[in-house]
Amino acid sequence: MNSDRRTFVAGNWKMNGLLDEAKAFMDAFGRNPAEDVVEVGLMPPFTLLHPMSERLAAMGISLGAQNVYYEDKGAFTGSICPMMLRDSGCHYVILGHSERRSIIGENNAQIRSKMTASWLHGLEPILCIGETLEQREQGITNTILTEQLAILKGAPKDVPLTVAYEPVWAIGTGVTASTDQIIETHAFVHSELQRLGHDARVLYGGSVKPENAEEILACDGVEGALVGGASLQADSFMAIVKAAAKVAS
Ligand code: 13P
């Protein structure tokens, strides 16, 4: 459930961004120009969370991390716990991004543990789901999405949750899903979420850019975008926010 149903434009910086670049980005971006209809969020790397948090809040921009560990504290060298993210000003945490699933080998059980720990400490997960090209070609997209969403079975219902549908083959490739594919898949994701009792906001991700943002955000069932590459530059990210504002108003 997410009581905030404004369109959500979130920028996932992945492993990009040094302090000087973050400052230059914030100088150039300025305030969220459409706070009444569009929520803007940024998920920079861990090292930038604290340095950016105060200024982003003043700019009307929500803050999130890209990952979290599920234990509270202790001997887990290199890990970051939910309370540390809260301490750095985070409201969101991205979970289950395809790069973590495929490169780091994260599985649904681990993602479920991270989700539970996030809720326990007041973070809102942005749960990423999506099929590979091979899975789409095999016609098993919906089966894969159902498996990924099954981690919500038995989870509490009154928890904040955003879901991002990111077809793996559209991430960082410049290829976006067609509007028909987006509408059809988002309808399926919404119906699965309803079946599981979660009225989550559903974003689209995968090569969203200023040139295609309006068309994608206007698709039925799309409530925002999770933007990778185009969120690194203030002007392209701003153009996407403005496209979202145009569609929303
Ligand atoms: P790109 O926008 O660079 O394709 O990345 C999408 C993504 O993975 C956001 O989480």
Side-chain angles (χ1 to χ4, degrees):
M1 180 198 72
N2 189 317
S3 53
D4 186 346
R5 289 321 270 244
R6 284 179 296 169
T7 305
F8 186 22
V9 177
N12 173 10
W13 279 10
K14 308 190 179 184
M15 199 174 70
N16 296 290
L18 300 175
L19 196 52
D20 282 350
E21 292 164 332
K23 284 182 182 150
F25 179 96
M26 293 189 286
D27 287 344
F29 192 88
R31 273 199 72 83
N32 173 359
E35 229 176 319
D36 49 334
V37 284
V38 181
E39 178 183 3
V40 178
L42 269 187
M43 288 86 215
F46 287 135
T47 48
L48 289 175
L49 293 174
H50 192 256
M52 292 181 84
S53 69
E54 215 169 294
R55 188 143 169 224
L56 287 181
M59 290 159 65
I61 296 180
S62 316
L63 183 67
Q66 300 169 20
N67 182 34
V68 73
Y69 194 56
Y70 46 80
E71 297 286 353
D72 279 356
K73 63 160 119 175
F76 303 101
T77 302
S79 299
I80 300 283
C81 69
M83 278 310 282
M84 291 170 181
L85 296 186
R86 289 297 306 271
D87 210 25
S88 301
C90 289
H91 173 80
Y92 291 103
V93 60
I94 295 175
L95 294 182
H97 192 280
S98 73
E99 285 149 17
R100 293 202 61 84
R101 292 180 193 259
S102 67
I103 301 169
I104 316 284
E106 247 178 50
N107 61 37
N108 284 326
Q110 290 164 324
I111 297 164
R112 161 90 196 223
S113 301
K114 292 177 175 198
M115 200 169 59
T116 305
S118 299
W119 281 326
L120 205 63
H121 296 287
L123 289 166
E124 174 164 350
I126 301 176
L127 174 63
C128 298
I129 58 171
E131 81 289 0
T132 62
L133 186 57
E134 200 185 3
Q135 290 162 340
R136 181 159 279 272
E137 284 172 353
Q138 284 170 2
I140 56 168
T141 296
N142 291 356
T143 311
I144 297 299
L145 299 177
T146 300
E147 272 170 25
Q148 292 170 338
L149 288 172
I151 65 169
L152 290 167
K153 266 189 207 155
K157 304 282 189 273
D158 55 343
V159 282
L161 176 67
T162 292
V163 170
Y165 167 59
E166 301 201 301
V168 177
W169 46 275
I171 295 176
T173 57
V175 179
T176 48
S178 69
T179 49
D180 282 350
Q181 285 170 327
I182 293 175
I183 292 168
E184 194 185 323
T185 314
H186 275 247
F188 179 74
V189 171
H190 278 290
S191 70
E192 277 295 286
L193 284 167
Q194 210 162 24
R195 196 172 62 77
L196 292 158
H198 285 272
D199 182 25
R201 190 162 53 168
V202 183
L203 318 180
Y204 171 81
S207 297
V208 177
K209 319 180 260 273
E211 306 83 68
N212 60 24
E214 194 176 323
E215 189 183 30
I216 291 171
L217 289 161
C219 288
D220 269 354
V222 174
E223 297 173 272
L226 186 55
V227 185
S231 70
L232 292 170
Q233 302 301 326
D235 56 352
S236 51
F237 194 48
M238 179 60 88
I240 295 171
V241 172
K242 287 189 172 158
K246 189 170 164 201
V247 173
S249 20

PDB file of all heavy atoms in Angstrom, residues 45-80:
ATOM      1  N   PRO A  45      24.553   6.227  -4.589  1.00  0.00           N
ATOM      2  CA  PRO A  45      25.288   5.193  -3.833  1.00  0.00           C
ATOM      3  C   PRO A  45      25.332   5.531  -2.341  1.00  0.00           C
ATOM      4  O   PRO A  45      25.125   6.685  -1.954  1.00  0.00           O
ATOM      5  CB  PRO A  45      26.686   5.216  -4.460  1.00  0.00           C
ATOM      6  CG  PRO A  45      26.779   6.501  -5.206  1.00  0.00           C
ATOM      7  CD  PRO A  45      25.389   6.903  -5.576  1.00  0.00           C
ATOM      8  N   PHE A  46      25.614   4.537  -1.515  1.00  0.00           N
ATOM      9  CA  PHE A  46      25.636   4.717  -0.053  1.00  0.00           C
ATOM     10  C   PHE A  46      26.453   5.936   0.377  1.00  0.00           C
ATOM     11  O   PHE A  46      26.062   6.665   1.277  1.00  0.00           O
ATOM     12  CB  PHE A  46      26.262   3.484   0.636  1.00  0.00           C
ATOM     13  CG  PHE A  46      25.389   2.269   0.629  1.00  0.00           C
ATOM     14  CD1 PHE A  46      25.916   1.016   0.307  1.00  0.00           C
ATOM     15  CD2 PHE A  46      24.053   2.341   0.980  1.00  0.00           C
ATOM     16  CE1 PHE A  46      25.119  -0.122   0.328  1.00  0.00           C
ATOM     17  CE2 PHE A  46      23.248   1.208   1.010  1.00  0.00           C
ATOM     18  CZ  PHE A  46      23.789  -0.020   0.679  1.00  0.00           C
ATOM     19  N   THR A  47      27.622   6.125  -0.282  1.00  0.00           N
ATOM     20  CA  THR A  47      28.540   7.188   0.146  1.00  0.00           C
ATOM     21  C   THR A  47      27.938   8.577   0.006  1.00  0.00           C
ATOM     22  O   THR A  47      28.414   9.518   0.630  1.00  0.00           O
ATOM     23  CB  THR A  47      29.827   7.123  -0.703  1.00  0.00           C
ATOM     24  OG1 THR A  47      29.432   7.015  -2.077  1.00  0.00           O
ATOM     25  CG2 THR A  47      30.691   5.937  -0.312  1.00  0.00           C
ATOM     26  N   LEU A  48      26.899   8.719  -0.826  1.00  0.00           N
ATOM     27  CA  LEU A  48      26.315  10.050  -1.044  1.00  0.00           C
ATOM     28  C   LEU A  48      25.025  10.270  -0.259  1.00  0.00           C
ATOM     29  O   LEU A  48      24.469  11.373  -0.276  1.00  0.00           O
ATOM     30  CB  LEU A  48      26.045  10.268  -2.536  1.00  0.00           C
ATOM     31  CG  LEU A  48      27.296  10.447  -3.412  1.00  0.00           C
ATOM     32  CD1 LEU A  48      26.912  10.541  -4.879  1.00  0.00           C
ATOM     33  CD2 LEU A  48      28.071  11.690  -2.986  1.00  0.00           C
ATOM     34  N   LEU A  49      24.546   9.248   0.432  1.00  0.00           N
ATOM     35  CA  LEU A  49      23.242   9.393   1.094  1.00  0.00           C
ATOM     36  C   LEU A  49      23.268  10.528   2.118  1.00  0.00           C
ATOM     37  O   LEU A  49      22.469  11.462   2.036  1.00  0.00           O
ATOM     38  CB  LEU A  49      22.835   8.083   1.780  1.00  0.00           C
ATOM     39  CG  LEU A  49      22.527   6.916   0.834  1.00  0.00           C
ATOM     40  CD1 LEU A  49      22.291   5.639   1.640  1.00  0.00           C
ATOM     41  CD2 LEU A  49      21.323   7.225  -0.052  1.00  0.00           C
ATOM     42  N   HIS A  50      24.169  10.427   3.045  1.00  0.00           N
ATOM     43  CA  HIS A  50      24.185  11.447   4.093  1.00  0.00           C
ATOM     44  C   HIS A  50      24.536  12.831   3.543  1.00  0.00           C
ATOM     45  O   HIS A  50      23.839  13.813   3.834  1.00  0.00           O
ATOM     46  CB  HIS A  50      25.107  11.028   5.248  1.00  0.00           C
ATOM     47  CG  HIS A  50      24.921  11.902   6.436  1.00  0.00           C
ATOM     48  ND1 HIS A  50      25.822  12.873   6.778  1.00  0.00           N
ATOM     49  CD2 HIS A  50      23.898  12.000   7.314  1.00  0.00           C
ATOM     50  CE1 HIS A  50      25.373  13.515   7.837  1.00  0.00           C
ATOM     51  NE2 HIS A  50      24.208  13.008   8.183  1.00  0.00           N
ATOM     52  N   PRO A  51      25.599  12.936   2.710  1.00  0.00           N
ATOM     53  CA  PRO A  51      25.923  14.269   2.180  1.00  0.00           C
ATOM     54  C   PRO A  51      24.792  14.909   1.370  1.00  0.00           C
ATOM     55  O   PRO A  51      24.717  16.129   1.285  1.00  0.00           O
ATOM     56  CB  PRO A  51      27.133  14.017   1.275  1.00  0.00           C
ATOM     57  CG  PRO A  51      27.678  12.706   1.662  1.00  0.00           C
ATOM     58  CD  PRO A  51      26.588  11.920   2.321  1.00  0.00           C
ATOM     59  N   MET A  52      23.927  14.121   0.774  1.00  0.00           N
ATOM     60  CA  MET A  52      22.874  14.706  -0.071  1.00  0.00           C
ATOM     61  C   MET A  52      21.558  14.902   0.671  1.00  0.00           C
ATOM     62  O   MET A  52      20.676  15.621   0.199  1.00  0.00           O
ATOM     63  CB  MET A  52      22.617  13.817  -1.299  1.00  0.00           C
ATOM     64  CG  MET A  52      23.761  13.775  -2.301  1.00  0.00           C
ATOM     65  SD  MET A  52      23.385  12.748  -3.742  1.00  0.00           S
ATOM     66  CE  MET A  52      22.466  13.881  -4.787  1.00  0.00           C
ATOM     67  N   SER A  53      21.381  14.245   1.808  1.00  0.00           N
ATOM     68  CA  SER A  53      20.026  14.101   2.351  1.00  0.00           C
ATOM     69  C   SER A  53      19.365  15.437   2.725  1.00  0.00           C
ATOM     70  O   SER A  53      18.214  15.682   2.362  1.00  0.00           O
ATOM     71  CB  SER A  53      20.016  13.149   3.547  1.00  0.00           C
ATOM     72  OG  SER A  53      20.674  13.722   4.622  1.00  0.00           O
ATOM     73  N   GLU A  54      20.100  16.296   3.410  1.00  0.00           N
ATOM     74  CA  GLU A  54      19.478  17.533   3.881  1.00  0.00           C
ATOM     75  C   GLU A  54      19.066  18.422   2.698  1.00  0.00           C
ATOM     76  O   GLU A  54      17.958  18.949   2.647  1.00  0.00           O
ATOM     77  CB  GLU A  54      20.474  18.285   4.760  1.00  0.00           C
ATOM     78  CG  GLU A  54      19.816  19.007   5.902  1.00  0.00           C
ATOM     79  CD  GLU A  54      20.848  19.507   6.887  1.00  0.00           C
ATOM     80  OE1 GLU A  54      21.517  18.679   7.541  1.00  0.00           O
ATOM     81  OE2 GLU A  54      20.999  20.732   6.970  1.00  0.00           O
ATOM     82  N   ARG A  55      19.971  18.526   1.749  1.00  0.00           N
ATOM     83  CA  ARG A  55      19.697  19.417   0.620  1.00  0.00           C
ATOM     84  C   ARG A  55      18.567  18.854  -0.261  1.00  0.00           C
ATOM     85  O   ARG A  55      17.709  19.605  -0.728  1.00  0.00           O
ATOM     86  CB  ARG A  55      20.989  19.600  -0.183  1.00  0.00           C
ATOM     87  CG  ARG A  55      20.834  20.617  -1.210  1.00  0.00           C
ATOM     88  CD  ARG A  55      22.053  21.483  -1.440  1.00  0.00           C
ATOM     89  NE  ARG A  55      21.779  22.231  -2.646  1.00  0.00           N
ATOM     90  CZ  ARG A  55      22.645  22.417  -3.619  1.00  0.00           C
ATOM     91  NH1 ARG A  55      23.865  21.936  -3.512  1.00  0.00           N
ATOM     92  NH2 ARG A  55      22.300  23.095  -4.691  1.00  0.00           N
ATOM     93  N   LEU A  56      18.569  17.546  -0.453  1.00  0.00           N
ATOM     94  CA  LEU A  56      17.487  16.958  -1.264  1.00  0.00           C
ATOM     95  C   LEU A  56      16.140  17.190  -0.603  1.00  0.00           C
ATOM     96  O   LEU A  56      15.146  17.500  -1.275  1.00  0.00           O
ATOM     97  CB  LEU A  56      17.714  15.455  -1.486  1.00  0.00           C
ATOM     98  CG  LEU A  56      18.823  15.064  -2.469  1.00  0.00           C
ATOM     99  CD1 LEU A  56      18.895  13.553  -2.595  1.00  0.00           C
ATOM    100  CD2 LEU A  56      18.611  15.699  -3.841  1.00  0.00           C
ATOM    101  N   ALA A  57      16.099  17.070   0.721  1.00  0.00           N
ATOM    102  CA  ALA A  57      14.834  17.305   1.427  1.00  0.00           C
ATOM    103  C   ALA A  57      14.358  18.736   1.170  1.00  0.00           C
ATOM    104  O   ALA A  57      13.169  18.972   0.908  1.00  0.00           O
ATOM    105  CB  ALA A  57      15.017  17.047   2.921  1.00  0.00           C
ATOM    106  N   ALA A  58      15.285  19.674   1.198  1.00  0.00           N
ATOM    107  CA  ALA A  58      14.918  21.085   0.960  1.00  0.00           C
ATOM    108  C   ALA A  58      14.483  21.298  -0.496  1.00  0.00           C
ATOM    109  O   ALA A  58      13.763  22.248  -0.797  1.00  0.00           O
ATOM    110  CB  ALA A  58      16.097  21.983   1.297  1.00  0.00           C
ATOM    111  N   MET A  59      14.930  20.430  -1.384  1.00  0.00           N
ATOM    112  CA  MET A  59      14.552  20.527  -2.803  1.00  0.00           C
ATOM    113  C   MET A  59      13.233  19.792  -3.095  1.00  0.00           C
ATOM    114  O   MET A  59      12.780  19.744  -4.240  1.00  0.00           O
ATOM    115  CB  MET A  59      15.666  19.909  -3.679  1.00  0.00           C
ATOM    116  CG  MET A  59      16.950  20.732  -3.723  1.00  0.00           C
ATOM    117  SD  MET A  59      18.423  19.747  -4.218  1.00  0.00           S
ATOM    118  CE  MET A  59      17.993  19.298  -5.889  1.00  0.00           C
ATOM    119  N   GLY A  60      12.662  19.184  -2.064  1.00  0.00           N
ATOM    120  CA  GLY A  60      11.411  18.448  -2.267  1.00  0.00           C
ATOM    121  C   GLY A  60      11.646  17.102  -2.942  1.00  0.00           C
ATOM    122  O   GLY A  60      10.805  16.601  -3.691  1.00  0.00           O
ATOM    123  N   ILE A  61      12.807  16.496  -2.687  1.00  0.00           N
ATOM    124  CA  ILE A  61      13.174  15.220  -3.324  1.00  0.00           C
ATOM    125  C   ILE A  61      13.365  14.150  -2.252  1.00  0.00           C
ATOM    126  O   ILE A  61      14.068  14.379  -1.253  1.00  0.00           O
ATOM    127  CB  ILE A  61      14.457  15.401  -4.166  1.00  0.00           C
ATOM    128  CG1 ILE A  61      14.166  16.390  -5.304  1.00  0.00           C
ATOM    129  CG2 ILE A  61      14.961  14.072  -4.720  1.00  0.00           C
ATOM    130  CD1 ILE A  61      15.349  16.651  -6.212  1.00  0.00           C
ATOM    131  N   SER A  62      12.749  13.001  -2.450  1.00  0.00           N
ATOM    132  CA  SER A  62      12.880  11.898  -1.496  1.00  0.00           C
ATOM    133  C   SER A  62      14.199  11.172  -1.732  1.00  0.00           C
ATOM    134  O   SER A  62      14.711  11.138  -2.848  1.00  0.00           O
ATOM    135  CB  SER A  62      11.758  10.871  -1.683  1.00  0.00           C
ATOM    136  OG  SER A  62      10.525  11.485  -1.839  1.00  0.00           O
ATOM    137  N   LEU A  63      14.680  10.529  -0.676  1.00  0.00           N
ATOM    138  CA  LEU A  63      15.971   9.851  -0.750  1.00  0.00           C
ATOM    139  C   LEU A  63      15.805   8.350  -0.533  1.00  0.00           C
ATOM    140  O   LEU A  63      15.005   7.915   0.297  1.00  0.00           O
ATOM    141  CB  LEU A  63      16.902  10.427   0.324  1.00  0.00           C
ATOM    142  CG  LEU A  63      18.328   9.899   0.375  1.00  0.00           C
ATOM    143  CD1 LEU A  63      19.106  10.319  -0.879  1.00  0.00           C
ATOM    144  CD2 LEU A  63      19.053  10.422   1.614  1.00  0.00           C
ATOM    145  N   GLY A  64      16.579   7.574  -1.269  1.00  0.00           N
ATOM    146  CA  GLY A  64      16.551   6.131  -1.070  1.00  0.00           C
ATOM    147  C   GLY A  64      17.917   5.523  -1.317  1.00  0.00           C
ATOM    148  O   GLY A  64      18.795   6.152  -1.909  1.00  0.00           O
ATOM    149  N   ALA A  65      18.085   4.281  -0.848  1.00  0.00           N
ATOM    150  CA  ALA A  65      19.327   3.541  -1.090  1.00  0.00           C
ATOM    151  C   ALA A  65      19.058   2.470  -2.145  1.00  0.00           C
ATOM    152  O   ALA A  65      17.917   2.238  -2.538  1.00  0.00           O
ATOM    153  CB  ALA A  65      19.809   2.916   0.212  1.00  0.00           C
ATOM    154  N   GLN A  66      20.117   1.826  -2.575  1.00  0.00           N
ATOM    155  CA  GLN A  66      19.984   0.836  -3.655  1.00  0.00           C
ATOM    156  C   GLN A  66      20.000  -0.600  -3.146  1.00  0.00           C
ATOM    157  O   GLN A  66      19.832  -1.541  -3.929  1.00  0.00           O
ATOM    158  CB  GLN A  66      21.124   1.023  -4.659  1.00  0.00           C
ATOM    159  CG  GLN A  66      21.157   2.387  -5.290  1.00  0.00           C
ATOM    160  CD  GLN A  66      22.443   2.617  -6.074  1.00  0.00           C
ATOM    161  OE1 GLN A  66      23.136   1.672  -6.444  1.00  0.00           O
ATOM    162  NE2 GLN A  66      22.761   3.871  -6.324  1.00  0.00           N
ATOM    163  N   ASN A  67      20.233  -0.756  -1.852  1.00  0.00           N
ATOM    164  CA  ASN A  67      20.337  -2.100  -1.284  1.00  0.00           C
ATOM    165  C   ASN A  67      20.382  -1.966   0.229  1.00  0.00           C
ATOM    166  O   ASN A  67      20.647  -0.890   0.760  1.00  0.00           O
ATOM    167  CB  ASN A  67      21.632  -2.765  -1.784  1.00  0.00           C
ATOM    168  CG  ASN A  67      21.788  -4.186  -1.288  1.00  0.00           C
ATOM    169  OD1 ASN A  67      20.807  -4.931  -1.118  1.00  0.00           O
ATOM    170  ND2 ASN A  67      23.029  -4.589  -1.049  1.00  0.00           N
ATOM    171  N   VAL A  68      20.123  -3.061   0.922  1.00  0.00           N
ATOM    172  CA  VAL A  68      20.251  -3.082   2.379  1.00  0.00           C
ATOM    173  C   VAL A  68      20.515  -4.523   2.797  1.00  0.00           C
ATOM    174  O   VAL A  68      20.219  -5.463   2.036  1.00  0.00           O
ATOM    175  CB  VAL A  68      18.963  -2.528   3.057  1.00  0.00           C
ATOM    176  CG1 VAL A  68      17.803  -3.525   2.950  1.00  0.00           C
ATOM    177  CG2 VAL A  68      19.196  -2.137   4.511  1.00  0.00           C
ATOM    178  N   TYR A  69      21.068  -4.702   3.988  1.00  0.00           N
ATOM    179  CA  TYR A  69      21.220  -6.057   4.523  1.00  0.00           C
ATOM    180  C   TYR A  69      20.109  -6.285   5.551  1.00  0.00           C
ATOM    181  O   TYR A  69      19.580  -5.326   6.108  1.00  0.00           O
ATOM    182  CB  TYR A  69      22.608  -6.228   5.154  1.00  0.00           C
ATOM    183  CG  TYR A  69      22.965  -7.666   5.410  1.00  0.00           C
ATOM    184  CD1 TYR A  69      22.951  -8.590   4.368  1.00  0.00           C
ATOM    185  CD2 TYR A  69      23.308  -8.115   6.682  1.00  0.00           C
ATOM    186  CE1 TYR A  69      23.262  -9.923   4.597  1.00  0.00           C
ATOM    187  CE2 TYR A  69      23.629  -9.443   6.920  1.00  0.00           C
ATOM    188  CZ  TYR A  69      23.602 -10.340   5.869  1.00  0.00           C
ATOM    189  OH  TYR A  69      23.902 -11.654   6.102  1.00  0.00           O
ATOM    190  N   TYR A  70      19.774  -7.556   5.805  1.00  0.00           N
ATOM    191  CA  TYR A  70      18.581  -7.799   6.626  1.00  0.00           C
ATOM    192  C   TYR A  70      18.844  -7.936   8.128  1.00  0.00           C
ATOM    193  O   TYR A  70      17.891  -8.009   8.902  1.00  0.00           O
ATOM    194  CB  TYR A  70      17.805  -9.014   6.115  1.00  0.00           C
ATOM    195  CG  TYR A  70      18.640 -10.232   5.807  1.00  0.00           C
ATOM    196  CD1 TYR A  70      19.074 -11.073   6.823  1.00  0.00           C
ATOM    197  CD2 TYR A  70      18.992 -10.519   4.497  1.00  0.00           C
ATOM    198  CE1 TYR A  70      19.840 -12.182   6.530  1.00  0.00           C
ATOM    199  CE2 TYR A  70      19.762 -11.626   4.198  1.00  0.00           C
ATOM    200  CZ  TYR A  70      20.186 -12.459   5.216  1.00  0.00           C
ATOM    201  OH  TYR A  70      20.955 -13.534   4.912  1.00  0.00           O
ATOM    202  N   GLU A  71      20.118  -7.976   8.527  1.00  0.00           N
ATOM    203  CA  GLU A  71      20.388  -8.045   9.974  1.00  0.00           C
ATOM    204  C   GLU A  71      20.410  -6.623  10.553  1.00  0.00           C
ATOM    205  O   GLU A  71      20.614  -5.657   9.826  1.00  0.00           O
ATOM    206  CB  GLU A  71      21.732  -8.733  10.236  1.00  0.00           C
ATOM    207  CG  GLU A  71      21.785 -10.190   9.781  1.00  0.00           C
ATOM    208  CD  GLU A  71      20.991 -11.127  10.694  1.00  0.00           C
ATOM    209  OE1 GLU A  71      20.509 -10.668  11.743  1.00  0.00           O
ATOM    210  OE2 GLU A  71      20.854 -12.311  10.338  1.00  0.00           O
ATOM    211  N   ASP A  72      20.218  -6.539  11.867  1.00  0.00           N
ATOM    212  CA  ASP A  72      20.163  -5.226  12.526  1.00  0.00           C
ATOM    213  C   ASP A  72      21.530  -4.617  12.784  1.00  0.00           C
ATOM    214  O   ASP A  72      21.720  -3.415  12.697  1.00  0.00           O
ATOM    215  CB  ASP A  72      19.473  -5.343  13.893  1.00  0.00           C
ATOM    216  CG  ASP A  72      17.972  -5.350  13.723  1.00  0.00           C
ATOM    217  OD1 ASP A  72      17.521  -5.180  12.582  1.00  0.00           O
ATOM    218  OD2 ASP A  72      17.282  -5.531  14.737  1.00  0.00           O
ATOM    219  N   LYS A  73      22.472  -5.467  13.189  1.00  0.00           N
ATOM    220  CA  LYS A  73      23.827  -4.996  13.480  1.00  0.00           C
ATOM    221  C   LYS A  73      24.720  -6.199  13.727  1.00  0.00           C
ATOM    222  O   LYS A  73      24.232  -7.323  13.853  1.00  0.00           O
ATOM    223  CB  LYS A  73      23.847  -4.073  14.699  1.00  0.00           C
ATOM    224  CG  LYS A  73      23.409  -4.716  15.993  1.00  0.00           C
ATOM    225  CD  LYS A  73      23.915  -3.901  17.156  1.00  0.00           C
ATOM    226  CE  LYS A  73      22.777  -3.372  17.996  1.00  0.00           C
ATOM    227  NZ  LYS A  73      23.214  -2.687  19.186  1.00  0.00           N
ATOM    228  N   GLY A  74      26.017  -5.943  13.801  1.00  0.00           N
ATOM    229  CA  GLY A  74      26.909  -7.031  14.183  1.00  0.00           C
ATOM    230  C   GLY A  74      27.988  -7.315  13.168  1.00  0.00           C
ATOM    231  O   GLY A  74      28.354  -6.465  12.365  1.00  0.00           O
ATOM    232  N   ALA A  75      28.496  -8.523  13.215  1.00  0.00           N
ATOM    233  CA  ALA A  75      29.665  -8.908  12.422  1.00  0.00           C
ATOM    234  C   ALA A  75      29.257  -9.280  10.986  1.00  0.00           C
ATOM    235  O   ALA A  75      29.186 -10.463  10.626  1.00  0.00           O
ATOM    236  CB  ALA A  75      30.375 -10.069  13.120  1.00  0.00           C
ATOM    237  N   PHE A  76      28.957  -8.269  10.220  1.00  0.00           N
ATOM    238  CA  PHE A  76      28.574  -8.475   8.811  1.00  0.00           C
ATOM    239  C   PHE A  76      29.367  -7.472   7.970  1.00  0.00           C
ATOM    240  O   PHE A  76      28.815  -6.514   7.409  1.00  0.00           O
ATOM    241  CB  PHE A  76      27.061  -8.288   8.621  1.00  0.00           C
ATOM    242  CG  PHE A  76      26.257  -9.211   9.496  1.00  0.00           C
ATOM    243  CD1 PHE A  76      25.680  -8.759  10.662  1.00  0.00           C
ATOM    244  CD2 PHE A  76      26.134 -10.551   9.164  1.00  0.00           C
ATOM    245  CE1 PHE A  76      24.978  -9.612  11.493  1.00  0.00           C
ATOM    246  CE2 PHE A  76      25.433 -11.418   9.986  1.00  0.00           C
ATOM    247  CZ  PHE A  76      24.857 -10.948  11.160  1.00  0.00           C
ATOM    248  N   THR A  77      30.671  -7.667   7.946  1.00  0.00           N
ATOM    249  CA  THR A  77      31.595  -6.717   7.320  1.00  0.00           C
ATOM    250  C   THR A  77      31.123  -6.294   5.928  1.00  0.00           C
ATOM    251  O   THR A  77      30.788  -7.138   5.106  1.00  0.00           O
ATOM    252  CB  THR A  77      32.999  -7.357   7.222  1.00  0.00           C
ATOM    253  OG1 THR A  77      33.412  -7.707   8.550  1.00  0.00           O
ATOM    254  CG2 THR A  77      34.012  -6.392   6.610  1.00  0.00           C
ATOM    255  N   GLY A  78      31.065  -5.000   5.744  1.00  0.00           N
ATOM    256  CA  GLY A  78      30.709  -4.472   4.417  1.00  0.00           C
ATOM    257  C   GLY A  78      29.219  -4.266   4.224  1.00  0.00           C
ATOM    258  O   GLY A  78      28.802  -3.792   3.171  1.00  0.00           O
ATOM    259  N   SER A  79      28.420  -4.635   5.218  1.00  0.00           N
ATOM    260  CA  SER A  79      26.962  -4.525   5.031  1.00  0.00           C
ATOM    261  C   SER A  79      26.402  -3.265   5.693  1.00  0.00           C
ATOM    262  O   SER A  79      26.998  -2.700   6.603  1.00  0.00           O
ATOM    263  CB  SER A  79      26.267  -5.760   5.612  1.00  0.00           C
ATOM    264  OG  SER A  79      26.713  -6.908   4.928  1.00  0.00           O
ATOM    265  N   ILE A  80      25.241  -2.876   5.233  1.00  0.00           N
ATOM    266  CA  ILE A  80      24.548  -1.675   5.730  1.00  0.00           C
ATOM    267  C   ILE A  80      23.151  -2.115   6.165  1.00  0.00           C
ATOM    268  O   ILE A  80      22.443  -2.788   5.404  1.00  0.00           O
ATOM    269  CB  ILE A  80      24.417  -0.630   4.580  1.00  0.00           C
ATOM    270  CG1 ILE A  80      25.792  -0.198   4.050  1.00  0.00           C
ATOM    271  CG2 ILE A  80      23.572   0.562   5.020  1.00  0.00           C
ATOM    272  CD1 ILE A  80      26.549   0.783   4.896  1.00  0.00           C
TER     273      ILE A  80
END
